[in-house]
Amino acid sequence: QVQLQESGPGLVKPSETLSLTCAVSGYSISSGYYWGWFRQPPGKGLDWIGSMYHSGITYYTPSLNSRVTVSVDTSKNQFSLKLNSVTAADTAMYYCARHSYSGTFDIWGQGTMVTVSS
Amino acid sequence: QSVLTQPPSASGTPGQRVTISCSGSSSNIGSKTVSWYQQLPGKAPKLLIYSNNQRPSGVPDRFSGSKSGTSASLAISGLQSEDEAAYYCAAWDDSMNGWVFGGGTKVTVL
């Protein structure tokens, strides 16, 4: 079955860049679907960060557009998130997920907690 | 402040029917499809309903979704203890130019 697994540092210093990777197994990213990143601050709700179509086309939430990049490495069947100039407000559980054009987020990773602190 | 509005909490006794509302506007629910997610404590979200009222395989038919105008609803019939979780609605928003979620509703089984 299709599985997604996030990985990356659990602690990032303020003003530095948060970098996460989502490894996909059981499905080739190149075959289709959109691949997205989401986050959930402690005790709060879900927020969409950005998504990438399998062709490499990306789109981001306007509030983070200037700081975020989503990219793909088809050779490793994984996609990545980079969020620069982080602050404490970026502390959250980060999830990757597969989704359709209509926004059916059908497969989620287990999530990875990222804390921004010096 | 979430673009989609959900009640923060809902509760019911085992076997009861619980309904969760998700209120939006013409730029999201009014013109786009809605999906619903269940998040058990400490777990990742799980797709429950897509395209307003479709259930993925494996989701019990106790869960049902509906949409009318700029609002959507998730109903849980025959409430069970394992349904205790947070539930989120989601849709595309043309004004925000992105995917938006409701603030989440925590369901408690009394």
Side-chain angles (χ1 to χ4, degrees), chain A residues 5-60:
Chain A
Q5 177 70 59
E6 305 89 347
S7 62
L11 181 64
V12 181
K13 289 182 169 53
S15 80
E16 295 191 345
T17 297
L18 179 161
S19 296
L20 298 175
T21 296
C22 181
V24 180
S25 59
Y27 188 86
S28 172
I29 288 180
S30 302
S31 296
Y33 281 98
Y34 289 79
W35 305 88
W37 285 97
F38 304 79
R39 68 182 183 180
Q40 185 172 34
K44 297 191 177 181
L46 295 164
D47 293 313
W48 170 71
I49 298 171
S51 294
M52 177 200 71
Y53 190 46
H54 70 93
S55 63
I57 296 172
T58 56
Y59 59 115
Y60 308 120

Side-chain angles (χ1 to χ4, degrees), chain A residues 45-108:
Chain A
L46 295 164
D47 293 313
W48 170 71
I49 298 171
S51 294
M52 177 200 71
Y53 190 46
H54 70 93
S55 63
I57 296 172
T58 56
Y59 59 115
Y60 308 120
T61 187
S63 62
L64 295 176
N65 188 58
S66 62
R67 296 198 291 132
V68 66
T69 302
V70 176
S71 59
V72 63
D73 184 340
T74 53
S75 66
K76 295 182 179 179
N77 209 39
Q78 63 186 33
F79 62 106
S80 300
L81 169 72
K82 288 190 186 302
L83 181 66
N84 57 38
S85 304
V86 297
T87 68
D90 296 310
T91 293
M93 182 71 79
Y94 285 75
Y95 296 99
C96 57
R98 185 182 80 169
H99 68 92
S100 66
Y101 173 79
S102 61
T104 300
F105 309 111
D106 64 342
I107 309 290
W108 293 73

Side-chain angles (χ1 to χ4, degrees), chain B residues 19-61:
Chain B
T19 301
I20 300 168
S21 62
C22 176
S23 178
S25 67
S26 58
S27 65
N28 43 66
I29 294 177
S31 56
K32 305 287 185 256
T33 59
V34 178
S35 54
W36 289 89
Y37 302 85
Q38 176 193 60
Q39 188 175 34
L40 296 169
K43 300 294 186 181
K46 170 191 170 186
L47 176 65
L48 214 53
I49 297 287
Y50 67 97
S51 296
N52 304 326
N53 55 18
Q54 302 299 301
R55 273 189 316 276
S57 60
V59 173
D61 60 6

